[in-house]
Amino acid sequence: MAVHRFKPEVYWNTIGSHAPALHVNSGDTVETTTVDARGWDEQGEQAAARGNPMTGPIYVNGAEPGDTLAVRFDSIVPNRSWAWASDVLAPNVVDPEYLAKLPAANICRWNVNAAEGYAELDQAEGSYWAGRRLPLRPFLGCFGVAPARGQAISTSTSGEHGGNMDYRGFVAGVTAYFPVFAEGALLHLGDGHAVQGDGEIAGTGLEISMNVTFTVYVLKGRKSGWPRGETADHIFTVGNAKPLDYALQYATTEMLIRLTGEYGLSAQDASQLLGQTVEYDVANIYNPAYSLVCKIHKRWLPDAART
Amino acid sequence: MAVHRFKPEVYWNTIGSHAPALHVNSGDTVETTTVDARGWDEQGEQAAARGNPMTGPIYVNGAEPGDTLAVRFDSIVPNRSWAWASDVLAPNVVDPEYLAKLPAANICRWNVNAAEGYAELDQAEGSYWAGRRLPLRPFLGCFGVAPARGQAISTSTSGEHGGNMDYRGFVAGVTAYFPVFAEGALLHLGDGHAVQGDGEIAGTGLEISMNVTFTVYVLKGRKSGWPRGETADHIFTVGNAKPLDYALQYATTEMLIRLTGEYGLSAQDASQLLGQTVEYDVANIYNPAYSLVCKIHKRWLPDAART
Amino acid sequence: MAVHRFKPEVYWNTIGSHAPALHVNSGDTVETTTVDARGWDEQGEQAAARGNPMTGPIYVNGAEPGDTLAVRFDSIVPNRSWAWASDVLAPNVVDPEYLAKLPAANICRWNVNAAEGYAELDQAEGSYWAGRRLPLRPFLGCFGVAPARGQAISTSTSGEHGGNMDYRGFVAGVTAYFPVFAEGALLHLGDGHAVQGDGEIAGTGLEISMNVTFTVYVLKGRKSGWPRGETADHIFTVGNAKPLDYALQYATTEMLIRLTGEYGLSAQDASQLLGQTVEYDVANIYNPAYSLVCKIHKRWLPDAART
Amino acid sequence: MAVHRFKPEVYWNTIGSHAPALHVNSGDTVETTTVDARGWDEQGEQAAARGNPMTGPIYVNGAEPGDTLAVRFDSIVPNRSWAWASDVLAPNVVDPEYLAKLPAANICRWNVNAAEGYAELDQAEGSYWAGRRLPLRPFLGCFGVAPARGQAISTSTSGEHGGNMDYRGFVAGVTAYFPVFAEGALLHLGDGHAVQGDGEIAGTGLEISMNVTFTVYVLKGRKSGWPRGETADHIFTVGNAKPLDYALQYATTEMLIRLTGEYGLSAQDASQLLGQTVEYDVANIYNPAYSLVCKIHKRWLPDAART
């Protein structure tokens, strides 16, 4: 259970079977940094090429195809005092008939106070945003493991291997789970957001570089099909596909498999549980694959106290 | 501000410009009942034809095309001690490749204790559900106003006029808003659910007859394009379309119009507000049109106290 | 087998259980006219309200729910010398990222020579269209029967009852089939197009009023679920839904039902036939429901000569 | 203009920046072979791993990012006497409500007579297929160039770089065009089908190994965004995305760009041309990305003779 302080020197704009930057054991903790979606680091310098450059990959000893990799985020903290964001909604989330009324998008700057946990729009004088503070809720927009078949997949998109899910639920304290497709799992991470709404519908969150600490575990022989997660209150699954309907199908089916397989419910009992208690989050409706999250409250897990 | 106790004698399986069953004024309150989705009433008798039979329509004096009708739900309470529900997920929310593994669906019975606010699966002995209680959260699955053009639209589906949105957020205390398309607005309501998860993914909630009390207001000259709502904490808009992507476009555009029109934000300020704080609910992904809800917390409304 | 010369006096902007304008027998032929999508008639006068006003409904004696109504188009001929059309693609068929580059749409005029079978853009001097002639292929964009449940559905959209399918394959010589949902079937028709490409992607064809002659047949006890059709070379089915994926699912399933039910193929034989020979037409990707056509060449019907 | 006889020794299950297997010049012709989707070669031996193994990549000297690579198929001929195919429709093309009625899929064998141009189902005695012959129309289901960013993308899917489009229009005589993303373009090809219907809706065509001859040309400085093509009669563009709606948006926008850029039409003239004459082909609705083809008849190109 070592702690590795890892300073990235190379960044990747695809998630794939690249040369490992660090080898760790199951149970180890890694303290590292990520640059923002445009490759700007904590000093605001261009440290990597645009397009969600990734820190890593991190090779987790013993992880093999058919296992699951757990990644618990211990802390995710912005490491600079400003973020950037788009100021107009992405065209694909607006009624096509209305689009002609939208202005062109620009990038604007937000001043970020990580210590006190808020952001303020720069040059907001006279606008709605003057005097308003956005509470921070930092998370990583893009992270995942090397995909199947030796693929190297752009960090603009997502799939069974994770990737650019831009789910605002992946905050510190949450554990993410990925199917392992390659020896060592090869974890990549980056694309920090200081805060973001559901769906990343402006095409960005508050884009920022981060200090990240996380701990990895190899779950030997635990099969999974799509990214999964666990918070203090919920278990969840993630489907990545277009349109949202298909992402929802994948996430829901993965949860059904989890409830019937891992937790032993019958298909009927699990269906009723899902039907009457499921909660969905629209994680992302901007990227080439959209992301939809299916959540069940832990009070419903079989070993939870009955109410 | 009269209170009308209204006992329905006729039910409708379409929402349209039918003969009014009751005339009321803006500000009046109506106490009435609804039968369940199969037409069974509080005694369990077949009082109406299957397929979301509607109580109403209620003609609101003074409501004209171009106005908005507000409907505040004062109370929604199950008026019998049992509900029915499907026990297998709807085929359209499951990965098509997995569907062959699902059993055939049956209707099961839930025992409902409205006074104490819970339901228990009937004949649950030996199953996951033995000893488990679902907390109730009663709402109406289908309600709305006569649509444009003299249409009469099946209560299986939804549109700009509302209809079968099956949104579990429409509980007592919430106000719903509809564009008025016909003289008197012609409010229809029914399809009570004692509880339901996001999306109505089993194809049913806990289907039950209800006692409903609500108050209507005509907002003269207030234009709207899609159903809207307000809770203690949020304002929201509803888009009804397939796939979810298009429902999300309609809901998001209606919220953008509301923020820029009603609340005076610039398109950029509203976009940033939506981009960094929006919350989406998957209301329904079972009906012929899906329903997606776009929510903004009231703390962000211009006249809210700044934080 | 009477021939009815029918001059419409009332038009409908919904398809529903309206008062019949004409009663005919199975096998009868009707000669009538339709106004264009904006209600302009052969003199260019506003004869009906905008929005695909329908001629009819025509009550076919003996047609009952569970039957199929066949409508053979004997002739469809423009009855005036000009049509109108939109001159820019509809926003929903263009990549949202590209939309900002499109100009605003205007209505333009085409001069139509029905006798010689072509149209020329008015005021085309100096443009690409100068000296170019569009060959005519006249068809009806919107027609169908009264839908189920007593619904009255806007002529802007489509469903199991037909409606605004805007399929350029519905030319003279083709037979369309509809499930009968109401006594007398109640056929409505209108929205003539002198010519149109796949998908109606500019949001219009060359919109024009028509002289239409057709013959109706009641197929007693022949069940169907969606509109069907037959040309000299093909049998086809139509699915109406959004997105195209769902329209394709409905059309393909209807064809599978037809091949296995009506023609007696096994599911496997029909699947192989569909898999290796099916042809799809994108009928419409502009209306609230899209339309997709599934075609099988008649050479593959069981009683066709083997090759 | 050399002719290269190339016998592949290595196959790839991704399309990416792999080591070139052959270097050629613009204008050169290549004669080679492809194995089938399961890696079986002309002797029926397992020559490569399952999942559309690719012959190549072929490095075309002088091809650079920003150019377009043209690939003219001179001949595509099955090089063995049998093919395999699935015998039940893919679940995703069938109405989910109907799916439970479909039997499980099996692989069946077709006997292929390439010289006479037909296939017959093996063991068809007593079935619909007894005595019936499918005319061959051989094409390649999967081919394309190395994608952007150094990605390596599974041959199960498709994108701007081509890939698994399964478009039955890519027969001998057709020229395909790809945007060049990597030095040398790096052409991969495989997944031959002896015949297939629109959409590959059984999940396979008649899967077979091929002898393929093609000629490549580098179009220096010719930019393109998506795969394009040219037949004797049409020019076309291909969009690859889910759902079909988005694939259609990409294909249509690429054609609009082509008509306005390459051919000099105004947006309005091009819109009218597309609106009134466009033809769409549903190339594929089975793979992770669907493929939709947008076609314009060459008679409408500006330098064609006017009619």
Side-chain angles (χ1 to χ4, degrees), chain B residues 149 151 153-154 157-158 242 288-289, chain C residues 13-15 51-52 54 140-148 151-167 170 178-179 181 191 199-200 225-227 238-244 246-248 250 283-293:
Chain B
R149 280 186 163 206
Q151 288 182 90
I153 294 181
S154 167
T157 193
S158 60
K242 241 186 184 178
Chain C
N13 295 92
T14 58
I15 297 181
N52 292 344
M54 295 282 105
L140 294 188
C142 183
F143 61 109
V145 297
Q151 288 184 89
I153 293 181
S154 168
T155 52
S156 67
T157 193
S158 60
E160 288 93 335
H161 68 295
N164 199 23
M165 300 175 283
D166 287 313
Y167 175 43
F170 280 127
F178 297 100
F181 298 107
D191 187 27
E200 203 192 31
W226 287 92
V238 188
N240 301 315
K242 240 186 185 179
L244 286 175
Y246 297 146
L248 185 145
Y250 293 132
N284 177 276
I285 180 168
Y286 172 72
N287 300 326
Y290 299 158
S291 299
L292 201 293
V293 173

Side-chain angles (χ1 to χ4, degrees), chain B residues 18-37:
Chain B
H18 306 304
L22 178 71
H23 286 74
V24 305
N25 290 318
S26 180
D28 284 3
T29 296
V30 179
E31 298 178 11
T32 190
T33 56
T34 58
V35 294
D36 75 18

Side-chain angles (χ1 to χ4, degrees), chain C residues 202-217:
Chain C
T204 73
L206 263 53
E207 308 285 328
I208 200 160
S209 57
M210 295 282 190
N211 290 332
V212 182
T213 304
F214 60 91
T215 304
V216 295
Y217 302 90

Side-chain angles (χ1 to χ4, degrees), chain C residues 250-290:
Chain C
Y250 293 132
T252 305
T253 304
E254 183 77 2
M255 184 60 87
L256 181 65
I257 289 170
R258 194 167 178 180
L259 291 173
T260 55
E262 202 168 317
Y263 294 105
L265 276 69
S266 70
Q268 286 90 345
D269 287 348
S271 288
Q272 299 231 50
L273 179 59
L274 282 161
Q276 308 313 335
T277 77
V278 74
E279 299 163 61
Y280 289 115
D281 285 342
V282 175
N284 177 276
I285 180 168
Y286 172 72
N287 300 326
Y290 299 158

